[in-house]
């Protein structure tokens, strides 16, 4: 049997389609559990940024919010492990992303090299902006769960 380029390409694309969504779900699970658990343990590199972001909140302390957000991320990660709870994970992720992007507005001196120059993000700014990719991947996972004949379980 002779394999031409198109046949090989289609087989590779088929494997990517079959394994892509599970790979992203498992990657999300690892990342959210790993980075999330660091927060309540008090060893997260994101701790200063997170505490500065929530310092204005009238309820709770920055340390308390650090723990809440960390455990929230752990729950997101666990929900991504299971196909049946993926929709919950996506909903929780989108709620979490609202807070993740808050420093872009609340802490411009921290996330931009020069105040007002949004095209010059600091490392913290880049850390936040890369979450656009996480949102896009979550949309892709969510979209993969829909079929015209009904909802895929």
């Amino acid at each position: 049997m002779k394999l031409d380029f198109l046949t090989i390409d289609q087989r590779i694309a088929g494997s990517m389609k079959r394994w892509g969504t599970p790979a992203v779900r498992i990657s999300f699970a690892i990342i959210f559990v790993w980075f999330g658990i660091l927060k309540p343990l008090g060893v997260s590199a994101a701790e200063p940024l997170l505490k500065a972001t929530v310092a204005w909140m009238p309820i709770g302390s920055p340390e308390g919010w650090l723990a809440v957000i960390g455990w929230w991320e752990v729950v997101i990660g666990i929900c991504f492990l299971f196909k049946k709870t993926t929709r919950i994970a996506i909903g929780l992720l989108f709620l979490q992303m609202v807070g993740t992007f808050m420093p872009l507005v609340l802490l411009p001196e921290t996330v931009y090299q020069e105040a007002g120059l949004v095209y010059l993000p600091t490392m913290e700014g880049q850390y936040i902006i890369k979450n656009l990719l996480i949102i896009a991947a979550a949309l892709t996972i969510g979209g993969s769960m829909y079929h015209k004949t009904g909802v895929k379980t």
Side-chain angles (χ1 to χ4, degrees):
M1 177 171 133
K2 183 180 174 189
L3 294 178
D4 61 9
F5 177 78
L6 183 59
T7 303
I8 293 169
D9 185 55
Q10 288 175 339
R11 285 185 181 177
I12 292 170
S15 292
M16 292 169 87
K17 182 176 182 174
R18 182 171 40 264
W19 294 106
T21 298
V24 174
R25 282 184 33 248
I26 299 304
S27 297
F28 275 176
I30 292 167
I31 291 166
F32 276 95
V33 169
W34 185 359
F35 293 2
I37 198 69
L38 296 176
K39 291 173 180 73
L41 295 177
V43 293
S44 172
E47 184 174 333
L49 179 63
L50 194 148
K51 285 182 175 180
T53 302
V54 299
W56 63 273
M57 295 184 70
I59 300 170
S61 67
E63 292 78 18
W65 281 110
L66 184 71
V68 168
I69 292 165
W71 288 116
W72 183 283
E73 290 175 359
V74 169
V75 170
I76 291 170
I78 291 169
C79 287
F80 269 118
L81 280 175
F82 307 100
K83 202 171 188 179
K84 289 184 182 248
T85 54
T86 296
R87 286 183 178 83
I88 295 168
I90 293 170
L92 294 173
L93 180 147
F94 285 133
L95 289 172
Q96 185 252 4
M97 283 295 151
V98 172
T100 299
F101 283 96
M102 287 175 69
L104 296 176
V105 175
L106 297 177
L107 304 171
E109 68 284 353
T110 302
V111 298
Y112 306 115
Q113 293 179 40
E114 294 182 41
L117 298 179
V118 297
Y119 57 87
L120 290 175
T122 60
M123 282 298 278
E124 291 85 354
Q126 291 178 32
Y127 175 79
I128 295 165
I129 294 165
K130 64 92 179 103
N131 285 312
L132 292 171
L133 182 59
I134 290 175
I135 292 168
L139 289 170
T140 301
I141 291 171
S144 75
M145 302 178 84
Y146 174 80
H147 291 271
K148 287 185 180 183
T149 59
V151 177
K152 183 178 177 183
T153 58

